[in-house]
Amino acid sequence: MIWKKIALVFFALVVAVYMVLAMTAFNAPDEEVICKGVSITMQNGHEKGFLTEADVKKMLTLDHINPEGQSMPSVNVRVIEENLRGKELIDSVECYKGQDGYVCIDIFQRIPVVRVMSQTGENYYVDNHGQAMPGTDYPCNLIVATGHITKAYAAKWLVPMINLILQDPFWENQTEQLNILADGSVELVPRVGEHIAYLGQPVDIDKKLDRLRKFYRYGLSQAGWNKYSRVSVEFDNQIVCIRKQK
């Protein structure tokens, strides 16, 4: 019985010491916790957008909101979010404090899907929502759209076509350029083959591309990819070809 009492007293002392230490750590002033830096994650990838982690850190530094070296309680994550959300290349931001002394920033950047070079001399990118983006110095391997393109046309007609093309690996690799004529109709410049594919007005593009793909498979594969200068799939149930002049 004596040993049991001793064991109980010892256990009680251990629990008491643990509680004192835990309360002391819990009540320690937060000012002692210093931000070690920022941890930036590009949620939709580097390869699809223009920004890198280094670019975001540079934005924070230039705008004097880099939290590194500050006490964690003084870091206002809402201010960081609002500042970054106002940048042209950023779609949305999530900012929060990590338990490892870092401020975590999740960046959802705007994704360019096409580069527009219009007949008026405008040169800009358009994102997957149909909104124009500023030009940048970053190299970007995208489909180029030329011709009679307004920002309204790009949002309503061009981007839906581009999104449809990018969903299909074959057309993503085969399409080099789209050219918009004065009446709004579309010419497709392929990577393989010395011809222009005329799609007509930007409606039922999925059906026209499917018909053009079948023509590639069963027509050009036998006749030769360089036999025609123009292939039109404008109308249903027919394909009109113009033979290349010798």
Side-chain angles (χ1 to χ4, degrees):
M1 293 296 294
I2 295 176
W3 284 108
K4 288 184 178 180
K5 290 181 179 180
I6 294 174
L8 288 174
V9 171
F10 179 77
F11 178 75
L13 287 173
V14 171
V15 171
V17 171
Y18 173 79
M19 292 298 294
V20 170
L21 293 176
M23 292 297 294
T24 302
F26 181 79
N27 293 319
D30 291 335
E31 287 75 14
E32 296 179 0
V33 181
I34 302 300
C35 177
K36 300 176 182 177
V38 291
S39 175
I40 299 171
T41 303
M42 295 296 182
Q43 294 292 350
N44 43 8
H46 294 283
E47 67 282 353
K48 295 181 179 180
F50 293 130
L51 292 177
T52 64
E53 287 96 335
D55 295 323
V56 178
K57 289 182 179 179
K58 185 177 180 180
M59 292 177 185
L60 297 175
T61 301
L62 291 176
D63 293 340
H64 306 290
I65 56 173
N66 192 328
E68 185 173 356
Q70 300 179 18
S71 63
M72 289 298 281
S74 68
V75 175
N76 192 328
V77 294
R78 185 182 297 274
V79 170
I80 296 175
E81 280 188 0
E82 292 177 353
N83 181 280
L84 292 177
R85 195 176 290 121
K87 305 299 183 182
E88 289 184 304
L89 297 178
I90 294 178
D91 189 15
S92 63
V93 182
E94 293 180 3
C95 182
Y96 53 94
K97 298 176 184 179
Q99 296 183 355
D100 55 356
Y102 283 86
V103 172
C104 303
I105 304 176
D106 294 338
I107 299 291
F108 297 82
Q109 58 180 321
R110 296 172 64 188
I111 302 300
V113 294
V114 61
R115 182 174 183 176
V116 173
M117 302 174 69
S118 71
Q119 85 286 358
T120 60
E122 290 184 295
N123 188 341
Y124 56 93
Y125 296 93
V126 179
D127 67 16
N128 52 331
H129 300 300
Q131 300 299 314
M133 300 176 62
T136 73
D137 296 329
Y138 292 101
C140 198
N141 185 23
L142 295 175
I143 296 172
V144 176
T146 57
H148 295 73
I149 305 173
T150 63
K151 288 184 171 62
Y153 183 97
K156 184 176 181 179
W157 300 109
L158 180 61
V159 170
M161 279 191 291
I162 293 294
N163 287 336
L164 188 65
I165 289 172
L166 295 180
Q167 291 172 8
D168 189 319
F170 173 81
W171 287 114
E172 182 180 7
N173 293 322
Q174 174 67 347
T175 305
E176 181 174 357
Q177 177 182 340
L178 295 179
N179 185 51
I180 311 303
L181 304 181
D183 63 352
S185 59
V186 184
E187 293 178 330
L188 185 150
V189 181
R191 295 186 186 277
V192 178
E194 299 178 3
H195 61 274
I196 299 296
Y198 182 65
L199 305 181
Q201 294 298 317
V203 294
D204 297 328
I205 295 297
D206 54 340
K207 296 178 181 178
K208 294 174 181 179
L209 291 178
D210 182 63
R211 193 156 66 250
L212 183 59
R213 188 206 299 260
K214 291 178 180 177
F215 177 69
Y216 282 170
R217 178 178 298 177
Y218 302 111
L220 292 186
S221 60
Q222 298 183 13
W225 283 82
N226 300 324
K227 184 175 183 178
Y228 302 107
S229 63
R230 190 175 182 82
V231 177
S232 174
V233 291
E234 177 183 13
F235 301 110
D236 291 341
N237 302 318
Q238 67 176 6
I239 298 175
V240 179
C241 301
I242 299 178
R243 191 185 298 270
K244 183 182 297 185
Q245 297 292 330
K246 293 185 179 180

